[in-house]
Amino acid sequence: MFHSLFTRPSGRHGVLGLWALLLAMAAAPAGAGSAPLSLNEALAHTLERHPELAQFPYRRRAAEARELQAGLIPNPELAVEVENIGGSGRFAGTDSAEASLVLSQLIELGGKRGRREEVARYRTDLVDSDYRQVRWQVLAETVRRFLSVAEAQQNIQLAELSLELARESRETIRQRVQAGTTSDASLQRSAIAVTRAELAVDSARQQLASARVALAAQWGESEPDFEQVRADLYQLVALPEFNQVRRHLENAPQLSRYITERRLREAELQLARARGRQDLRVGVGVKQVQETNDHAFTLSLSMPLGVSDRNQGEVRARRAEYEQLALEEKATRVHLMARIQRLYQELEVFRSTALRLRGEALPSARAALDSIRRGYREGLYTYLELVDARRERLAVERDALKAAVNFHQTLVTLEQLTGTGLTGQWTLAPNGIEGATEPYEASEPEPRPYNEQAGES
């Protein structure tokens, strides 16, 4: 065989055969024969190349540039003043003109410059908080799409199993029709079942292709370079106690952001108060005295009178925003607690359902189908009973798969909300993703102590 592949083809048919072989090799998928994609590889690709995460280095640079701008002092002003020009009598023309050159500088009072720098610094920290939150969202979405690919792979296996059972039933019915123990109508119905099973296989393969494209889009690829993913959907880890889950709530990404935002609102309030202080302008200059042709120095001091505008409206607005933030944080904490509790209860239901279906119902459904298949060959059961047993076994398989997938999807959401790996099933923390180079380094927030009363609010 190796000799025939490497032997030079002779004649037109040989040349056409070689071209057909080359075209077939060129048309083969790039990822064909490649190893299945692991979850760690998918997360590493996402962390390094996700389009939304790639924007944050530029947002950080812009925030740092605004921080630099906030620390700059006002520019000095240079003014030229000409007096006694264009009047009447001896002041007509420019012979009596006197010129003054004044250099002035605005001196900011009330610590405005330091307050501006503080606000800009906290806004830079807010970019870091946003990055951490988006990073959890993006990585969690990658896990969800990864699970969708794994589910699509399992659905193909179930569709192929359904097709295999349908063809086996058709062959059994054909034998019974030939023996005269059943009617042709049963054979026709079995042929319809085979056709529908074949269409289901095609649909399942199309769904897998779509799921692969959706997963590859997480790292900016339009054409996936993998054929399959490596996942054990029926590995259902045990859940920790709910009190342990609740203790992680205070470090949730959504709540951690309030730490920086609270500091920012407070700094904006202090800046508004500082802007209520009037600034001092100091000027020095030199003046020419036309009558004696002498020069004299000038000194000027000016300050606005804070009679009506002391920036009190802005102060009140900033104080209201600061107080509003506390209510927003409380509402978010209550919402997160309710959602986490609901997700935890759903996790218990999904895990119990998947384990019981695979451990109890599925063996019984398989045994029942085998018994009815043997009995149908002997004429003990009808075609409808055979179809019903086959449908029930496949339904149990699908329900168990759906419960397992729902368990993992819900667990991803729960770990995304709490910002921690609760079970060790996977890790969404960058330092736990092997082979990943994070494009953006965000400073971590200070840990918050667990407040039992706040956790129950």
Side-chain angles (χ1 to χ4, degrees), residues 105-124:
Q105 173 68 52
L106 182 68
I107 300 177
E108 295 180 300
L109 302 179
K112 294 183 180 66
R113 178 187 175 192
R115 297 302 183 185
R116 285 199 309 269
E117 290 178 320
E118 191 175 24
V119 169
R121 183 167 59 252
Y122 285 136
R123 286 176 178 169
T124 302

Side-chain angles (χ1 to χ4, degrees), residues 143-281:
V143 178
R144 294 188 187 97
R145 298 189 184 189
F146 184 90
L147 292 171
S148 296
V149 176
E151 181 184 11
Q153 293 174 178
Q154 292 293 323
N155 283 330
I156 289 179
Q157 295 182 11
L158 291 178
E160 291 175 344
L161 174 61
S162 177
L163 177 59
E164 179 184 352
L165 293 175
R167 287 173 175 172
E168 182 181 343
S169 298
R170 183 182 61 181
E171 184 61 28
T172 302
I173 294 172
R174 180 181 289 111
Q175 295 174 2
R176 292 194 59 182
V177 169
Q178 293 174 354
T181 58
T182 190
S183 63
D184 292 339
S186 298
L187 182 59
Q188 294 171 355
R189 294 176 65 183
S190 67
I192 295 175
V194 170
T195 301
R196 295 183 64 180
E198 291 173 345
L199 293 175
V201 171
D202 294 339
S203 177
R205 290 173 178 168
Q206 181 60 40
Q207 291 176 2
L208 174 60
S210 299
R212 289 170 52 241
V213 171
L215 176 58
Q218 284 295 97
W219 49 86
E221 297 291 340
S222 57
E223 293 292 335
D225 58 354
F226 61 93
E227 291 295 321
Q228 292 184 333
V229 299
R230 183 170 66 250
D232 184 4
L233 294 177
Y234 297 108
Q235 183 181 356
L236 308 177
V237 296
L239 298 175
E241 295 292 333
F242 182 72
N243 287 336
Q244 180 179 350
V245 178
R246 185 174 58 181
R247 278 193 290 270
H248 291 290
L249 179 62
E250 291 299 322
N251 295 322
Q254 285 183 265
L255 293 181
S256 297
R257 189 181 190 276
Y258 283 105
I259 301 176
T260 303
E261 193 164 359
R262 188 186 306 111
R263 294 170 180 169
L264 173 60
R265 296 283 179 90
E266 185 177 359
E268 289 175 339
L269 175 59
Q270 297 299 330
L271 176 60
R273 289 172 175 169
R275 284 175 174 169
R277 296 281 303 275
Q278 307 303 319
D279 295 331
L280 176 66
R281 180 174 293 277

Side-chain angles (χ1 to χ4, degrees), residues 49-50 52 88 131 142 158 228 291 294 349 377 379 387 445:
R49 291 182 278 168
H50 192 277
E52 190 171 358
S88 60
Y131 173 76
T142 296
L158 291 178
Q228 292 184 333
E291 292 182 355
D294 293 328
V349 173
R377 296 189 188 99
V387 172

Side-chain angles (χ1 to χ4, degrees), residues 430-446:
N431 56 5
I433 301 175
E434 298 179 1
T437 302
E438 194 169 7
Y440 180 85
E441 294 184 2
S443 58
E444 295 299 326
E446 298 177 3

